[in-house]
Amino acid sequence: MVKFLKNYKSSLTLLAGIAVGAIIGVFFGEAALFLEPIGKLFLNCVFVLIIPLIFCSMSLAVAGTGKQGVSRIKKILGLTLGTFAITTLIAVTLMYVATLVYNPFASIDRNQFSALMDQNLVAESQSFGMMIVNTISVGNFLDLFDKSNLLALILFSLFFGITLSLIGEKASPILAVLNVGNDVTMKMIALVMKFAPIGLGSYFAYTLGELGPKILGGYMKALLLFILICGIYFIFILSFYAYIAGGLRGLKLYWQNIFIPALQALGTSSSAACIPTNLAALKKIGVPEDIRETVISLGANIHKDGSAMSGVLQVVLLFTLFNRDLTTLSAGLSIICGGFLVGIVMGSIPSGGFTAEVLLIALFGFPVEVIPVIAVITTITDMTATLVNSTSNITCAMMITKVIEKESLTHKFYETECSSENQGIKGSPKELS
């Protein structure tokens, strides 16, 4: 017991902070909003550090492999995008099947949504081509360091790292600066994470206090179904992915290192805020640096299995409100595609939540007035969706490693586990250092 408490002290402390925050949020409701500044302060500190972390770590991961790294990074990117697409497709299909078994909106009273639908919304007009351009690029160098432009920063960091690898020895001074910058950033994150139990607990309390009225407004059944299906996905599907990647030892190391990333996801409702903890977990699992940096950074933006599942619920609600059949083949494909689009758009495009909702109603021909109705789904499912969004990136990185490394990950994980045991940590999640 003493050894367990020592190994999992940080996880238990973080869990305790979130549990206290949940109790405050549930029992005090909107009165818990006074904790919002504390939670937002913690999140702001994390977001500020994510920018230098992504730039330094991704540039180093690519540049450190030399000229051979160009072809390797191409392979990693290709496998990453393919793996993301497959896992998201599995997630949305699972949620769609669940709504066929039980439609949480089957008995809804349309009048309960009338107040929301009376809101006036104006969707910003923007061509698809310009949407892509604004997502992957910025017009000002300083705009790269805005957290709403993370995808553009990731692409710039990859380009910067590839260029350094092509220059070779002449780039050594810049690499030295990046190494020091990366070390300093990681140390700063370690110091910030010491306040995570208080910061996450406060943010969790504020979030639950704010969500209460929305959950009671006719969405409770949808939220319960979403939590159930995400729980199945988190426990069983992601475990299966970890087993594919590393067998029983890979599965064991996955569960030994997943708790802090999972709690960070629940506490922040932000995939970007989970980047540091996900990288630390994958390092302990044994995933190479270039793979973990690429998969986690990209995944935080374009891989949203949980958000895609939430998108399925949004489309099902729209179909139910407008009396469209959910059971036909064409409806099923449409709903799955709609959820898939939400999973891609939600994180990659600035103001992605609103953009995804506009795309949904445009895709299916619904009136713009229903945006507030489906926007509530995004709000109440955000915490659970982020849990799936973030942790699924870890299993994707593990599976990609197995393909890229062309060796038994069971053996690789075994070496990592033995190394951790020799250091007295047994691969457990400790504070970042």
Side-chain angles (χ1 to χ4, degrees), residues 77 153 292:
L77 284 172
L153 175 63
R292 64 177 184 260

Side-chain angles (χ1 to χ4, degrees), residues 179-430:
N179 270 302
V180 174
N182 190 55
D183 291 343
V184 171
T185 303
M186 291 303 295
K187 189 61 178 179
M188 292 176 72
I189 290 173
L191 295 174
V192 169
M193 287 301 293
K194 291 183 181 296
F195 297 94
I198 297 175
L200 293 184
S202 299
Y203 191 81
F204 206 69
Y206 149 70
T207 304
L208 287 182
E210 188 181 45
L211 283 182
K214 294 179 180 178
I215 294 174
L216 296 176
Y219 293 91
M220 180 63 79
K221 292 180 181 178
L223 178 61
L224 292 177
L225 176 66
F226 187 76
I227 292 175
L228 173 63
I229 301 304
C230 284
I232 293 172
Y233 191 85
F234 176 74
I235 296 173
F236 297 104
I237 303 297
L238 295 187
S239 293
F240 178 66
Y241 293 159
Y243 178 80
I244 291 176
L248 291 177
R249 290 194 179 96
L251 179 62
K252 179 181 177 182
L253 278 179
Y254 168 74
W255 279 105
Q256 283 179 332
N257 290 281
I258 197 61
F259 292 109
I260 284 184
L263 293 174
Q264 181 90 343
L266 284 173
T268 63
S269 299
S270 168
S271 295
C274 298
I275 289 175
T277 50
N278 283 4
L279 290 175
L282 285 174
K283 183 176 181 180
K284 292 172 183 175
I285 290 173
V287 173
E289 182 182 12
D290 54 352
I291 296 178
R292 64 177 184 260
E293 297 289 352
T294 303
V295 175
I296 295 303
S297 298
L298 279 176
N301 288 273
I302 64 173
H303 183 223
K304 307 273 187 176
D305 289 353
S307 297
M309 296 165 79
S310 176
V312 171
L313 272 186
Q314 290 178 323
V315 181
V316 169
L317 172 56
L318 290 174
F319 271 51
T320 306
L321 278 175
F322 291 91
N323 297 316
R324 292 195 185 181
D325 190 0
L326 300 174
T327 59
T328 65
L329 178 61
S330 61
L333 293 175
S334 298
I335 292 171
I336 289 173
C337 289
F340 193 89
L341 278 177
V342 170
I344 296 174
V345 171
M346 189 69 76
S348 58
I349 296 178
S351 303
F354 182 76
T355 304
E357 288 144 10
V358 171
L359 281 177
L360 283 182
I361 65 168
L363 180 65
F364 295 106
F366 294 116
V368 70
E369 288 79 11
V370 301
I371 290 180
V373 174
I374 61 176
V376 176
I377 295 288
T378 302
T379 303
I380 65 175
T381 60
D382 198 19
M383 287 185 294
T384 312
T386 305
L387 171 67
V388 174
N389 291 344
S390 179
T391 53
S392 61
N393 290 330
I394 293 178
T395 53
C396 284
M398 293 170 67
M399 291 189 290
I400 291 167
T401 300
K402 183 174 184 178
V403 177
I404 293 290
E405 295 298 297
K406 295 181 180 178
E407 61 181 73
S408 172
L409 270 189
T410 302
H411 176 68
K412 190 178 187 68
F413 289 152
Y414 178 69
E415 290 179 342
T416 303
E417 186 176 24
C418 289
S419 175
S420 298
E421 288 176 348
N422 290 337
Q423 297 173 33
I425 62 174
K426 288 191 70 177
S428 63
K430 296 179 70 178

Side-chain angles (χ1 to χ4, degrees), residues 62 65-75 162 165-166:
V62 179
T65 56
K67 293 185 179 180
Q68 297 84 359
V70 177
S71 59
R72 178 178 167 92
I73 199 65
K74 286 181 181 177
K75 188 173 183 180
I162 290 172
S165 68
L166 294 175

